[in-house]
Amino acid sequence: MEWAIYLSGEIHTDWRQQIIQGCEANNLAVNFSSAVTDHEASDAAGDVLGPEDNHFWRDHKSAKVNAIRTKNLIEQCDIAIIRFGDKYKQWNAAFDAGYCAALGTPYITLHNDDIIHPLKEVDAAALAWATSPEQVVELLTYIINKS
Amino acid sequence: MEWAIYLSGEIHTDWRQQIIQGCEANNLAVNFSSAVTDHEASDAAGDVLGPEDNHFWRDHKSAKVNAIRTKNLIEQCDIAIIRFGDKYKQWNAAFDAGYCAALGTPYITLHNDDIIHPLKEVDAAALAWATSPEQVVELLTYIINKS
Amino acid sequence: MEWAIYLSGEIHTDWRQQIIQGCEANNLAVNFSSAVTDHEASDAAGDVLGPEDNHFWRDHKSAKVNAIRTKNLIEQCDIAIIRFGDKYKQWNAAFDAGYCAALGTPYITLHNDDIIHPLKEVDAAALAWATSPEQVVELLTYIINKS
Amino acid sequence: MEWAIYLSGEIHTDWRQQIIQGCEANNLAVNFSSAVTDHEASDAAGDVLGPEDNHFWRDHKSAKVNAIRTKNLIEQCDIAIIRFGDKYKQWNAAFDAGYCAALGTPYITLHNDDIIHPLKEVDAAALAWATSPEQVVELLTYIINKS
Amino acid sequence: MEWAIYLSGEIHTDWRQQIIQGCEANNLAVNFSSAVTDHEASDAAGDVLGPEDNHFWRDHKSAKVNAIRTKNLIEQCDIAIIRFGDKYKQWNAAFDAGYCAALGTPYITLHNDDIIHPLKEVDAAALAWATSPEQVVELLTYIINKS
Amino acid sequence: MEWAIYLSGEIHTDWRQQIIQGCEANNLAVNFSSAVTDHEASDAAGDVLGPEDNHFWRDHKSAKVNAIRTKNLIEQCDIAIIRFGDKYKQWNAAFDAGYCAALGTPYITLHNDDIIHPLKEVDAAALAWATSPEQVVELLTYIINKS
Amino acid sequence: MEWAIYLSGEIHTDWRQQIIQGCEANNLAVNFSSAVTDHEASDAAGDVLGPEDNHFWRDHKSAKVNAIRTKNLIEQCDIAIIRFGDKYKQWNAAFDAGYCAALGTPYITLHNDDIIHPLKEVDAAALAWATSPEQVVELLTYIINKS
Amino acid sequence: MEWAIYLSGEIHTDWRQQIIQGCEANNLAVNFSSAVTDHEASDAAGDVLGPEDNHFWRDHKSAKVNAIRTKNLIEQCDIAIIRFGDKYKQWNAAFDAGYCAALGTPYITLHNDDIIHPLKEVDAAALAWATSPEQVVELLTYIINKS
């Protein structure tokens, strides 16, 4: 069995790369997926379908095109890692957590301890809370490879 | 048929009361439900089970007790109204939106236009975006009572 | 048990009234529901949320508001009657039929025999094809009241 | 992951070939499936089971044989492209769209802008509306290959 | 809670009446449902939709009309009683048992011990095998009323 | 909304009565259900269907008759309370917890702290762990009645 | 895509071999599965677990062991072929048909026309009725290979 | 098809190895999975996320990390073997059995006959009860390889 891991949330630090490289170093049978993490490309995902004057509809069109990708990848993943950084609203990360919770897909949150309180509902439905990518790698190594 | 409406999100303004009173004024066959909106009581929901020194576990215990209520009410609602205010992280509101999206439960977002961009994924899965409780009342009146 | 009957499709003749009155005359324990059948009101369902210059988005907003109603009513019905008239595209009726088929909800089509061929996929997933509201009333009377 | 794409609808132009060739040119990891697009063969799908005098039953038998194929392929696809052309009723395409909507399978509609209004319910449940096969290829390339 | 009991199978003896009267005598909070047990009416269920020369299609039409009723009633029942008598093929009773098994709906078989062997697969998925209506009444009384 | 509460587990103390009376005292809109708690009657549930020489089959028959009741009640409950006492194996209580976990039904465990370790998997899937019926009553009062 | 075909029912003629060989001759990408068709072995499937004096329990044990196999294979198949022969009760075949119907799995019945009437409910939920293995092979070839 | 077998329960004897080796000897197309069976490692599964003073929370954290693994493996298995030994509470094994029962996943129990009575509910939902690993190997060989 190859485990499918979905990496959701913050796109401004290299946490995804750290987890991917750590899992490679440990020879885990995993594949990773993610929303498009190129911010500008993501915002422009719907532009190919024609321009929009109205800011709401441009965002709407792009968000739906992105959803074709993310809906498939989240529904097919075995474990999601949901990362909350220090900045921005990151409502899409919390949305993904709720989506996983409703599907019964196990997820691990990754965030600092200064945002424990506002994330208490998100953490309550998680199966683990980690504070560093290294911890996530250790968890995945245990979960997948421990005999 | 009586429609079950779940009111999720911001607890610092009276938007819930405005919607409830507006629906009553229009004689809609609806019942409303919500998470516990008394902030202190909600944070203390798990305290009856014993004190916790650790901040994370106190929040965890309370959030899970609250989830016994909200999980039932969200899964049984016909329509959710998801409200995002001007302040705070409100990740629980986005979590509820994701939960509804995965269940296929229709939801309406209620927020100002200055947070369109960070809410684009949440709005993309919504069936309507309103900016005032009055609009929500008008929508519900149309949806439920229009012949 | 009260049977929930959803009436989908054509809005230009009085087939809904004929079925409702026929069922009342036969004292069936049924309740009926439907999309909003006031064409102008239906097209304007989203206007309360603000005007749209772009024709596509006005339609889109209204269709989504209507979907809050129809999605709930179709998912909760026990039997759907799907009516195809002589005119117009009526893709929403075929869409509703596909929706019912995927849910496993029994539906009866109601259409003349000159459109048998283009409706063959829709009829293939139906449990009956009727050509008049009277036949539908007879079927419902048998299904619900026959001991 | 190889993405399964179901191509539904109009069979009188080469839109399927354009999408397939465009995806090949872009080296996408996709496989395509479709209803039988040979019109005569499709209409005769049930003839091997014996002749029918009655037009309705011949269509019925063939439509059901075709459904053995399409039901499997639609339920297993990751994305459906639903094409509406200029002619014919095309109720099967709208039926497929409703089927996908009920399953939660993302679909993209492909049609000209002169039929926006009659397709508003079908488009409202879609995650994108395209007007050319090239746009569909660009969307799929972004969705599947963008890192 | 009122328990919904579906009575499936043989229509040539009064086993249904015995169970219904026994449950009434014991004041159980139950409601009973069933396929149409008037054999001729059942065979003619589709005749209102027009005559059929071909025996197969007449049966097909009627069986589908009956399925609108039975599919709803079986899917909504809490317990099914599946009765196999001494005569006839009774494939519809075995079909109903398989349907219940797939849904996870508990069912009780009711048959003599001389057909244990051919019914072994049907009994293997049942939660009880009874040989008389009195036993069924005793079981239901225990299941529903025992404190 | 009336909340359905399933009370699972130990039958040798009056914890069920304490919870029921506490909820009545607090005027909660709840109904309670349970397996048959009369031990001898429960063991003899299948005897009406005929005697068994073999101990395994007598237990098997009775356990299945009981499952007709418990499967329905557990699947329809909104909250389960799973009680582990000091004695006996109580594997049926852990079985019910696993059943609820798979269905996504919230449950509260009720046990002393000397069996925390062997119950860690059962508690990990619970939304609360209580040590007294009074705590359960307080939780239910908060969950159901707190505005 | 390789299609999984489940072959259910009669074990006294070589219809399975005819279908398998016909599909091989046509180079279809299919795999076939089936219950154990060795009658004696099937009846003795549970004997390894210990002898039973009581005929019912021997059958019960064996039928459940067989169900471990058949439940998996039926739930994983894309198409089932349900064969009814001239003799025996064949209730397991009708049970499998009901199981497929509830799952929404397409199935084809294979039987002579002298048992149309008792099979009308089973045929009503089928997507095709064939009278010879050759017809089944032709259907599968069309369904799977026709472009 | 390769069958996925989940081995749940007792970790103090070599029953897993006996089953695995027996299946290898019989050349079965199977893969096996299991919770982490290293008791100390399992108890410490959450320690990487930080130390806990409170015994309950240490267990809770570890049990949830283990659940990320077991939830995935149980939900993906075709057959579970649930082993109850002579000692310890083994509530996790009964929990897994309940989980499988709710999912409809076939499972085989493996235990001595001196605990038939307390396991009657667990055995009632099982498809077989074995008393030795050899029997399990024979059952799997029959289920998977018998033609």
Side-chain angles (χ1 to χ4, degrees), chain H residues 48-116:
Chain H
V48 62
L49 300 171
E52 297 293 334
D53 298 330
N54 184 316
H55 185 49
F56 179 81
W57 294 119
R58 189 200 176 214
D59 275 351
H60 199 67
K61 253 175 28 176
S62 290
K64 283 191 168 173
V65 168
N66 284 315
I68 298 175
R69 172 179 171 128
T70 56
K71 188 169 161 48
N72 268 291
L73 295 175
I74 290 180
E75 293 188 1
Q76 293 171 19
C77 82
D78 300 307
I79 303 174
I81 315 297
I82 316 274
R83 164 72 180 156
F84 293 88
D86 297 330
K87 289 182 287 190
Y88 308 105
K89 292 296 191 182
Q90 308 176 86
W91 284 318
N92 58 323
F95 180 88
D96 287 353
Y99 205 94
C100 287
L103 296 178
T105 301
Y107 66 88
I108 299 168
T109 57
L110 173 59
H111 61 83
N112 290 338
D113 61 8
D114 55 354
I115 46 176
I116 284 176

Side-chain angles (χ1 to χ4, degrees), chain B residues 15-121:
Chain B
W15 67 275
R16 280 182 180 79
Q17 289 318 307
Q18 291 185 52
I19 290 174
I20 293 170
Q21 289 167 7
C23 289
E24 277 173 6
N26 289 358
N27 287 315
L28 302 192
V30 287
N31 60 68
F32 292 96
S33 64
S34 204
V36 168
T37 56
D38 173 335
H39 197 156
E40 279 185 41
S42 173
D43 282 359
D47 289 358
V48 64
L49 300 171
E52 297 294 335
D53 298 330
N54 183 315
H55 185 48
F56 180 81
W57 293 120
R58 189 201 176 212
D59 274 352
H60 199 67
K61 253 175 29 174
S62 290
K64 282 191 168 173
V65 169
N66 284 316
I68 299 175
R69 171 179 172 129
T70 55
K71 188 169 161 49
N72 268 291
L73 295 175
I74 289 180
E75 293 187 1
Q76 293 171 19
C77 81
D78 300 306
I79 303 173
I81 315 297
I82 316 275
R83 163 71 181 157
F84 292 88
D86 296 331
K87 289 183 291 193
Y88 306 105
K89 292 297 190 180
Q90 307 176 90
W91 283 319
N92 57 324
F95 179 88
D96 288 353
Y99 205 94
C100 287
L103 296 177
T105 301
Y107 67 87
I108 299 168
T109 57
L110 174 59
H111 61 82
N112 290 338
D113 60 8
D114 56 352
I115 46 177
I116 284 176
H117 193 62
L119 278 172
K120 66 181 188 296
E121 287 87 1

Side-chain angles (χ1 to χ4, degrees), chain A residues 9-95:
Chain A
E10 187 225 339
I11 59 173
H12 301 288
T13 65
D14 68 345
W15 67 276
R16 280 183 179 79
Q17 289 318 308
Q18 291 185 52
I19 290 175
I20 293 169
Q21 289 166 7
C23 290
E24 277 172 7
N26 289 357
N27 287 314
L28 302 190
V30 287
N31 61 68
F32 292 96
S33 64
S34 205
V36 169
T37 55
D38 173 335
H39 198 156
E40 278 187 40
S42 173
D43 282 359
D47 289 357
V48 62
L49 300 170
E52 296 294 334
D53 298 331
N54 184 317
H55 183 48
F56 180 81
W57 293 119
R58 188 200 177 214
D59 274 352
H60 199 67
K61 253 177 25 178
S62 290
K64 283 191 168 172
V65 168
N66 284 315
I68 299 175
R69 171 178 172 128
T70 56
K71 188 169 161 49
N72 268 292
L73 295 175
I74 290 180
E75 293 188 0
Q76 292 171 19
C77 82
D78 299 306
I79 302 173
I81 315 297
I82 317 275
R83 164 72 180 156
F84 293 88
D86 297 330
K87 290 182 288 190
Y88 306 106
K89 291 297 191 182
Q90 307 177 86
W91 282 319
N92 57 325
F95 180 88

